Amino acid sequence: MYAARLTRRAPRTLVLRHFSTPSTSTQPKKPPSAIPPGSKPTPKVKLQPAPVKPTSLAPNPASSSSQLNKASPPKSKPVSKSPPSTISEQVTPTSSKSSWNLVETFRVTKQQTLDDLESAYEEGIFAPRPEGAGNMRKGLHTAWEMGKFYFFGITTIFSRQRDCFRIWRRTRKGDESLTRAEYRMIAVQKQDVQKVIPFFFVALILEEAIPFIAILAPGTLPSTWLLPSQSRRVSMQKDLKAADANGLAWTQVREEGKASEIFCSLFRLSTAGFNFMMNHRLTKHIRFLAQDDRLLRQEDNASHLTASQVDEALRERGFLLSQIPAGERLIRLQKWLQRTDGSPDETRRLTQVVEGH
């Protein structure tokens, strides 16, 4: 009976020992390999998504492009080609350049104004500054002198108008002894009156703009309101404009339709406005030159003129003083008078300008 119990329990004991007895092997068991023996293992590929160059893309196949789109992230556009950055790159330099130009223009204008005032003191236009005066007193003195200068300038225009009326009444009676000085005074008076009328309207509407007009646009002022340095600067600017116009080819000028503008620049006239306005200025100026030439021939053929008067006459006739030596300027003016003798029309004088006088 005891032997029968042992025989019934023996299998159970063997099973328990099989699971409870630890393994005597020291090496860990390796998992079964799927690589067959004798073959080299393939190297591992690191899958790191990166942007693909456009040249490596296939031109047409849709399957390859879809696979590349799945494998790589969407390609981002460069920042420099985006519209916002392009606009900022274009606007920022332009705005900085324009602001710099404004600052530079203000600095140059301020320096020119100071130079004009100093020149007026040196030439005796303004009374000398009081000695030992401070900056405030010097500024008040300069403002007072400028006020007196403009006041006497406007009174000069009114007094000169009375002289013009007297000359007009004398010539109306039949006395045609009109000298060149009187004729030129009448012409200058007409120009000054034409400039004073719009200036008065500006003074009535916006009187604070008068100092800015006097500083920034001296060419719009009457001749009696120009300081000597301002008058020289305006004349220099006209000479530079005439030199630029003289360097253009006349064939190109005719093709582009800029003949009126070129002639106005050569004769030191204003080029503002349309062609019919410039043609009107040219017609008036040619008539003025015809009468001035006649009076110069009557008065010893311009032999009595001073050097500054000869230079002014040559400028009015479209000459470039930089191309004429000082000793030949009177001779050149006399040749002009000789060639235009007996021709009051415009064609002869314009032809002389085109042919280089």
Side-chain angles (χ1 to χ4, degrees):
M1 187 174 181
Y2 180 73
R5 291 180 180 175
L6 290 176
T7 56
R8 286 196 297 265
R9 294 181 180 177
R12 183 178 180 183
T13 306
L14 291 175
V15 174
L16 291 175
R17 284 181 61 86
H18 176 74
F19 287 100
S20 62
T21 304
S23 176
T24 57
S25 62
T26 58
Q27 296 180 356
K29 293 182 180 181
K30 296 181 179 179
S33 177
I35 301 173
S39 63
K40 295 181 180 181
T42 57
K44 294 183 179 181
V45 179
K46 296 181 179 181
L47 298 177
Q48 295 180 355
V52 183
K53 295 182 179 180
T55 55
S56 63
L57 295 176
N60 288 327
S63 61
S64 59
S65 61
S66 61
Q67 290 177 1
L68 288 172
N69 290 333
K70 292 179 181 178
S72 60
K75 186 177 179 181
S76 60
K77 294 182 180 180
V79 180
S80 60
K81 294 183 180 180
S82 60
S85 62
T86 305
I87 294 173
S88 62
E89 289 177 1
Q90 293 178 357
V91 171
T92 304
T94 306
S95 59
S96 61
K97 186 177 180 180
S98 61
S99 61
W100 170 254
N101 290 336
L102 290 175
V103 173
E104 186 66 17
T105 303
F106 176 77
R107 187 186 66 81
V108 172
T109 305
K110 179 182 177 182
Q111 188 62 36
Q112 286 180 354
T113 305
L114 295 177
D115 294 342
D116 293 340
L117 296 177
E118 289 297 329
S119 177
Y121 279 112
E122 293 175 359
E123 298 180 15
I125 306 298
F126 293 168
R129 299 185 182 94
E131 297 181 359
N135 293 331
M136 185 175 181
R137 188 177 177 185
K138 289 181 180 179
L140 292 175
H141 176 77
T142 303
W144 173 256
E145 292 296 326
M146 289 181 65
K148 288 197 305 181
F149 176 76
Y150 292 131
F151 175 76
F152 288 127
I154 195 66
T155 55
T156 301
I157 293 176
F158 283 110
S159 62
R160 196 169 57 189
Q161 186 68 27
R162 291 194 295 267
D163 296 337
C164 291
F165 275 123
R166 284 196 294 267
I167 296 171
W168 178 72
R169 285 195 297 266
R170 188 190 69 193
T171 55
R172 188 181 178 184
K173 293 178 181 179
D175 186 8
E176 297 183 359
S177 60
L178 184 67
T179 63
R180 182 174 181 265
E182 293 174 343
Y183 174 71
R184 294 182 66 85
M185 184 186 69
I186 294 173
V188 172
Q189 177 66 16
K190 290 180 180 179
Q191 294 178 0
D192 289 344
V193 170
Q194 291 176 359
K195 292 180 179 180
V196 164
I197 293 175
F199 191 81
F200 274 143
F201 281 107
V202 173
L204 292 175
I205 297 173
L206 189 64
E207 59 183 6
E208 293 84 359
I210 295 177
F212 296 99
I213 295 175
I215 293 173
L216 298 176
T220 60
L221 298 177
S223 60
T224 56
W225 284 4
L226 286 176
L227 295 171
S229 57
Q230 287 180 325
S231 180
R232 289 192 293 267
R233 187 166 63 251
V234 170
S235 178
M236 187 182 301
Q237 291 175 355
K238 291 181 179 179
D239 291 342
L240 293 175
K241 196 172 182 180
D244 294 339
N246 188 58
L248 298 177
W250 287 105
T251 56
Q252 182 182 1
V253 169
R254 292 191 188 97
E255 292 176 358
E256 296 179 358
K258 294 184 179 180
S260 300
E261 182 179 355
I262 298 303
F263 277 118
C264 285
S265 300
L266 289 174
F267 286 126
R268 276 73 168 177
L269 302 176
S270 175
T271 56
F274 301 98
N275 284 332
F276 73 91
M277 300 171 67
M278 290 185 281
N279 292 334
H280 179 66
R281 297 189 196 106
L282 283 172
T283 304
K284 289 178 60 178
H285 187 70
I286 293 298
R287 291 174 181 172
F288 166 78
L289 291 180
Q291 181 68 11
D292 193 57
D293 292 343
R294 186 182 65 81
L295 294 173
L296 281 174
R297 295 188 198 97
Q298 292 178 1
E299 298 178 1
D300 299 332
N301 202 21
S303 300
H304 65 285
L305 299 181
T306 61
S308 60
Q309 290 175 347
V310 171
D311 293 346
E312 185 179 4
L314 290 175
R315 286 194 187 95
E316 292 173 350
R317 286 156 178 81
F319 287 87
L320 297 178
L321 299 182
S322 59
Q323 299 179 358
I324 306 174
E328 299 180 3
R329 293 176 182 176
L330 179 59
I331 300 174
R332 190 68 65 87
L333 179 59
Q334 290 175 347
K335 287 182 178 180
W336 166 277
L337 296 176
Q338 183 180 359
R339 292 176 181 175
T340 57
D341 188 8
S343 59
D345 58 338
E346 306 175 10
T347 307
R348 179 70 63 85
R349 287 169 176 79
L350 294 180
T351 305
Q352 291 294 324
V353 174
V354 174
E355 293 178 355
H357 306 89

